[in-house]
Amino acid sequence: MKAAALHALVAALLVATGIALYDRLVLRPALVVGIVDLSEVYRAKETEFTHLLTQTGSEAERERALALARDFSQRLPAALDELPQECGCLVVIKGTVAGAPHSLDLTPMLRRKVDRR
């Protein structure tokens, strides 16, 4: 009888450990959602480019501002593609989420990736 009780206790401990590990390593990370305010990043860059275009006097400065805009348009999709791998989470646009309890704001990370020069 004691052996059966001991086996049952060991089995219960193994099952509890397995469930706890599954919760910590699989379930909880899957519940994390990364949120990006894409419109905020886009508006900030749009303001910067508009300022550069209106303040520049020479054609070379205007070309530089347009080159920065083209560079931004190429870096933004690449940066958005890199975010899920870096955070290990699902990344969604801010306007599409209503109340995510385990969410991360990845907007600053996106802004850093896009501003790299």
Side-chain angles (χ1 to χ4, degrees), residues 40 42 71 84 86 112:
E40 176 187 325
Y42 187 78
D71 191 39
E86 289 184 10
R112 282 191 303 274

mmCIF file of all heavy atoms in Angstrom, residues 40 42 71 84 86 112:
data_model
loop_
_atom_site.group_PDB
_atom_site.id
_atom_site.type_symbol
_atom_site.label_atom_id
_atom_site.label_comp_id
_atom_site.label_asym_id
_atom_site.label_seq_id
_atom_site.Cartn_x
_atom_site.Cartn_y
_atom_site.Cartn_z
ATOM 1 N N GLU A 40 1.552 56.648 -35.382
ATOM 2 C CA GLU A 40 2.394 57.608 -34.660
ATOM 3 C C GLU A 40 3.782 57.693 -35.300
ATOM 4 O O GLU A 40 4.316 58.785 -35.513
ATOM 5 C CB GLU A 40 2.526 57.194 -33.196
ATOM 6 C CG GLU A 40 3.446 58.070 -32.386
ATOM 7 C CD GLU A 40 3.678 57.525 -30.996
ATOM 8 O OE1 GLU A 40 2.735 56.945 -30.410
ATOM 9 O OE2 GLU A 40 4.796 57.673 -30.491
ATOM 10 N N TYR A 42 4.584 56.849 -38.367
ATOM 11 C CA TYR A 42 4.435 57.407 -39.709
ATOM 12 C C TYR A 42 4.235 58.921 -39.664
ATOM 13 O O TYR A 42 4.837 59.657 -40.436
ATOM 14 C CB TYR A 42 3.273 56.719 -40.430
ATOM 15 C CG TYR A 42 3.158 57.108 -41.866
ATOM 16 C CD1 TYR A 42 3.999 56.564 -42.820
ATOM 17 C CD2 TYR A 42 2.218 58.040 -42.279
ATOM 18 C CE1 TYR A 42 3.914 56.926 -44.144
ATOM 19 C CE2 TYR A 42 2.122 58.411 -43.605
ATOM 20 C CZ TYR A 42 2.971 57.851 -44.531
ATOM 21 O OH TYR A 42 2.878 58.221 -45.838
ATOM 22 N N ASP A 71 14.225 55.972 -48.191
ATOM 23 C CA ASP A 71 14.891 55.060 -47.262
ATOM 24 C C ASP A 71 13.933 54.607 -46.166
ATOM 25 O O ASP A 71 13.895 53.433 -45.800
ATOM 26 C CB ASP A 71 16.120 55.750 -46.676
ATOM 27 C CG ASP A 71 17.016 54.803 -45.923
ATOM 28 O OD1 ASP A 71 17.183 53.655 -46.389
ATOM 29 O OD2 ASP A 71 17.562 55.214 -44.881
ATOM 30 N N PRO A 84 8.446 40.586 -34.712
ATOM 31 C CA PRO A 84 7.973 39.344 -34.088
ATOM 32 C C PRO A 84 9.110 38.404 -33.674
ATOM 33 O O PRO A 84 9.024 37.755 -32.633
ATOM 34 C CB PRO A 84 7.103 38.704 -35.168
ATOM 35 C CG PRO A 84 6.695 39.809 -36.045
ATOM 36 C CD PRO A 84 7.828 40.792 -36.022
ATOM 37 N N GLU A 86 12.146 39.322 -32.769
ATOM 38 C CA GLU A 86 12.883 39.901 -31.647
ATOM 39 C C GLU A 86 12.131 39.800 -30.326
ATOM 40 O O GLU A 86 12.739 39.590 -29.289
ATOM 41 C CB GLU A 86 13.234 41.352 -31.951
ATOM 42 C CG GLU A 86 14.304 41.476 -33.011
ATOM 43 C CD GLU A 86 14.720 42.902 -33.253
ATOM 44 O OE1 GLU A 86 14.322 43.802 -32.481
ATOM 45 O OE2 GLU A 86 15.456 43.128 -34.236
ATOM 46 N N ARG A 112 13.192 53.132 -33.213
ATOM 47 C CA ARG A 112 14.655 53.001 -33.255
ATOM 48 C C ARG A 112 15.115 52.292 -34.527
ATOM 49 O O ARG A 112 16.097 52.673 -35.130
ATOM 50 C CB ARG A 112 15.169 52.259 -32.023
ATOM 51 C CG ARG A 112 15.229 53.094 -30.778
ATOM 52 C CD ARG A 112 15.988 52.379 -29.674
ATOM 53 N NE ARG A 112 15.447 51.077 -29.342
ATOM 54 C CZ ARG A 112 14.462 50.859 -28.476
ATOM 55 N NH1 ARG A 112 13.901 51.854 -27.848
ATOM 56 N NH2 ARG A 112 14.049 49.623 -28.235
#
